[in-house]
Amino acid sequence: MASSSRALTRFGAAATRLSVAEAVRPYANFATQPILRSPAAISNAARPAVFRQFARTYANASAPAPKKKPGKIRTTFKWLWRASYLSFIVGVGAIIYDGYLDRNPDDQFTPDPTKKTLVILGTGWGSVSLLKKLDTANYNVVVISPRNYFLFTPLLPSCTTGNIEHRSIMEPVRQILRHKKAAVKFYEAEATKIDYERKVVKISDNSDIKGTINETEVPYDMLVVGVGAENATFGIPGVREHSCFLKEIRDAQAIRTKIMDCVETAAFKDQDSSEIDRLLHMVVVGGGPTGVEFAGELRDFFDEDIKKLIPEISPRFKVTLIEALPTVLPMFSKQLIDYTESTFKEEHIEIKTKTMVKKVTDKTVEAVVTNPDGSKSTITIPYGLLVWATGNAVRPLIKDLMSQIPAQKDSRRGLAVNEYLVVQGARDIWAVGDCAVAGYAPTAQVAAQEGNFLARLFNNMAKTEALETRINELSSNLNLKPGNVTEITGEIEGLEKQLRHIKDIKPFNYSHQGSLAYIGSEKAVADIAWLNGNVASGGKLTYLFWRSAYLSMCFSSKSTRLFITYDYINKLLARNRVLVALDWVKAKLYGRDVSRE
């Protein structure tokens, strides 16, 4: 018995030097021995020591190992991942819901035929901004335009190189009108004449497929003219015949086709060296935002895509920007002008300022350059592609209307309007956008604000008319119902108070929000109005701001009603915004499409 006790004691001591798992296993084996099955076999002195050792070992084996607390960085990333995952799920759901609302709008009702007929000409910035804010239940609204879509023109230069697909910056007008409260009529037609004496608009069908009726008249009570302007050639010979303009979708498509024609022809077998230099010389006339952005997009296209696909001709590619003024981007600050010019120099884009184009042929541009000493010299520039991106001219429709109105005889650049955008000398006619002369630059930003102003004006006019009608009805009932004089008088006073508030609409005042321009190499310049001054910036961070700003400005025809954040999500999840963002991602991952068509 003494030897057994000593053995058990030595075993307990050895167990402390083993691992927990190894220490517990021998006790299970010893439990099968006869000595442990007989409690009397263990002395009273040895029993407590053995049991205490067994208890300690068993407790250590059964206790869970202490868990190591995760660090703060790991916890932060864990919550960030969860938030990102949740945001992705919510975003996808919101996009699906937004698309459902777009495809399933609320039912519309037919407006009262006794109400006034409001005719809107054009589907540009001014007209579409008016339509989006206008309460169509107050009028019989008719929209007339030769194109059945709205075009987001700031991103048009990106379409010429395949960075953005043209469908992504087009929004069907009927899609916009379908989401209005009251039904709106739309005619895809060209307005050929405005007879302001008879208050009718003559329209003609300009589509390729003609019906039995090609011309007709549309009467109006109120007319908004927003037909824009056409490209100005300044009477320079050959411009209209040999240049590409950049104002419509078909212009961007024509430029894209011609770029690839020049590239593929230059890569043709045994092509003459001088002809290759001519074909790969792209000339842009106009140093405004459109011309500068197109030059930057063109340079990126060759550096990032053509250079990889056709490396043998890429070093001979050249871009020249011609501007008649002393600087490009004259609406920007001098700091940003200098930054743009230095960036173009790094990108090997040649800028020719103080250069006036005098003649254009199918292969050359003749221009007069004013030298630093004041002397002038004539130069001839061979080109493969010539893009004309400067100046606006009055459309024939506007010229004809101006000739009918004596008060417009001194106006040269468009319809002169007053502070409420009413065409001077005409009844019930308003004008917005590039066809109107309101003392502001002909930009999309001005046209959009003019359209929003007219929407508020027309909505107030309708409310005013309804209140005045109600006041007249109540006033006539004062003598018929003498017992209700106090009640009727109180209602009239309340309506008159509303009327005074509604009538107090201030004249149109343009608020400049700033100017943006892309200059290539993922750089942009921005001159943004901030408080009482301007903030000027340029570079890659400004490029990200340029993209986010243009993405947020893309139009949307629907009004998403998702929980309480519908205003934010509507701004974020517009159809065109999603398409433009996907185009940017696709071009970054797979490159621009170099197909000819």
Side-chain angles (χ1 to χ4, degrees), residues 150-183:
F150 164 78
L151 178 64
F152 190 77
T153 51
L155 291 177
L156 194 58
S158 298
C159 293
T160 60
T161 58
N163 201 22
I164 292 178
E165 294 299 325
H166 66 276
R167 293 286 178 190
S168 301
I169 61 171
M170 298 165 62
E171 187 171 8
V173 171
R174 292 189 183 275
Q175 191 82 354
I176 299 172
L177 302 180
R178 182 63 185 86
H179 290 265
K180 302 302 295 183
K181 185 186 300 183

Side-chain angles (χ1 to χ4, degrees), residues 74-118:
R74 184 179 177 183
T75 303
T76 302
F77 275 106
K78 182 179 179 181
W79 282 106
L80 284 177
W81 166 250
R82 289 178 178 177
S84 301
Y85 183 75
L86 182 62
S87 299
F88 176 77
I89 297 297
V90 172
V92 171
I95 291 175
I96 295 173
Y97 184 69
D98 187 71
Y100 171 79
L101 293 180
D102 184 43
R103 297 295 299 274
N104 299 275
D106 297 333
D107 293 334
Q108 293 179 307
F109 66 86
T110 304
D112 185 355
T114 62
K115 292 185 177 181
K116 292 182 178 180
T117 299
L118 171 61

Side-chain angles (χ1 to χ4, degrees), residues 1-13:
M1 292 179 59
S3 61
S4 299
S5 299
R6 286 195 297 272
L8 289 174
T9 303
R10 287 196 300 271
F11 178 80

Side-chain angles (χ1 to χ4, degrees), residues 326-328 336-346 351 353:
T327 63
V328 298
L336 295 181
I337 292 173
D338 294 339
Y339 179 77
T340 301
E341 291 179 349
S342 64
T343 301
F344 272 18
K345 187 175 181 180
E346 294 174 0
I351 300 177
T353 56

Side-chain angles (χ1 to χ4, degrees), residues 163-300:
N163 201 22
I164 292 178
E165 294 299 325
H166 66 276
R167 293 286 178 190
S168 301
I169 61 171
M170 298 165 62
E171 187 171 8
V173 171
R174 292 189 183 275
Q175 191 82 354
I176 299 172
L177 302 180
R178 182 63 185 86
H179 290 265
K180 302 302 295 183
K181 185 186 300 183
V184 178
K185 292 182 180 179
F186 173 76
Y187 300 121
E188 187 183 68
E190 183 83 32
T192 56
K193 185 178 179 61
I194 299 173
D195 191 336
Y196 89 101
E197 290 287 351
R198 295 174 51 223
K199 301 187 76 169
V200 297
V201 178
K202 295 182 179 180
I203 62 174
S204 64
D205 183 5
N206 63 348
S207 63
D208 295 333
I209 299 176
K210 305 294 183 182
T212 56
I213 303 297
N214 297 327
E215 293 184 351
T216 186
E217 292 182 348
V218 178
Y220 68 84
D221 297 306
M222 305 162 64
L223 176 66
V224 177
V225 184
V227 297
E230 62 182 17
N231 296 289
T233 62
F234 307 103
I236 301 172
V239 171
R240 195 166 297 278
E241 294 80 6
H242 306 297
S243 299
C244 291
F245 300 103
L246 191 51
K247 209 173 186 66
E248 302 288 345
I249 280 293
R250 60 179 177 270
D251 297 332
Q253 292 172 324
I255 291 173
R256 181 172 177 174
T257 299
K258 197 160 186 177
I259 290 172
M260 294 314 302
D261 277 345
C262 291
V263 170
E264 297 296 349
T265 305
F268 192 74
K269 187 176 183 297
D270 299 329
Q271 187 66 266
D272 184 72
S273 178
S274 61
E275 187 67 3
I276 293 176
D277 291 335
R278 182 188 72 82
L279 290 168
L280 296 181
H281 188 191
M282 311 295 174
V283 177
V284 183
V285 180
T290 301
V292 167
E293 289 188 348
F294 173 70
E297 291 278 2
L298 198 57
R299 185 77 249 184
D300 289 348

Side-chain angles (χ1 to χ4, degrees), residues 395-433:
R395 293 189 181 275
L397 175 70
I398 303 302
K399 289 182 180 178
D400 180 75
L401 179 59
M402 292 166 60
S403 66
Q404 301 177 49
I405 305 174
Q408 298 286 329
K409 64 179 182 180
D410 295 329
S411 183
R412 296 291 179 268
R413 295 185 294 109
L415 293 167
V417 297
N418 64 12
E419 64 272 20
Y420 289 94
L421 305 181
V422 178
V423 175
Q424 296 179 4
R427 303 189 313 273
D428 301 321
I429 300 180
W430 291 259
V432 294

